[in-house]
Amino acid sequence: MKEKDAGMRIRVERELRDEFLKVCREQDRPAAQAIREFMREYIAAKKSERAGRTERFGTTPVAPKGAE
């Protein structure tokens, strides 16, 4: 695994944060791990979009631009 040497600070609604942390705890997963996974999936979906393929991101299909 690569060394983690950068951080991010974001502002979100308290309710969103609390719900997110609750779900992470229920899955026995650190919130940071879930966010990193989300980021990797998002990047992969956007790269596929740029390549002209339709990918699924989470439960939402990500269609190429102009295909909506």
Side-chain angles (χ1 to χ4, degrees):
M1 179 167 286
K2 295 181 182 179
E3 181 179 334
K4 297 168 195 79
D5 61 353
M8 285 173 78
R9 184 176 175 137
I10 62 170
R11 298 190 60 78
V12 298
E13 298 86 5
R14 184 176 306 271
E15 183 177 317
L16 176 62
R17 184 204 62 183
D18 292 347
E19 284 289 318
F20 179 71
L21 292 175
K22 178 183 175 200
V23 170
C24 287
R25 279 192 299 272
E26 289 170 355
Q27 296 179 344
D28 196 28
R29 293 182 67 202
Q33 181 184 40
I35 292 169
R36 285 191 298 271
E37 182 179 311
F38 167 83
M39 292 170 74
R40 289 183 189 106
E41 289 176 2
Y42 186 81
I43 290 166
K46 292 301 178 181
K47 284 182 179 179
S48 292
E49 180 183 320
R50 279 188 239 130
R53 295 189 307 266
T54 300
E55 283 283 318
R56 289 195 74 78
F57 177 70
T59 59
T60 306
V62 178
K65 289 208 183 294
E68 289 105 26

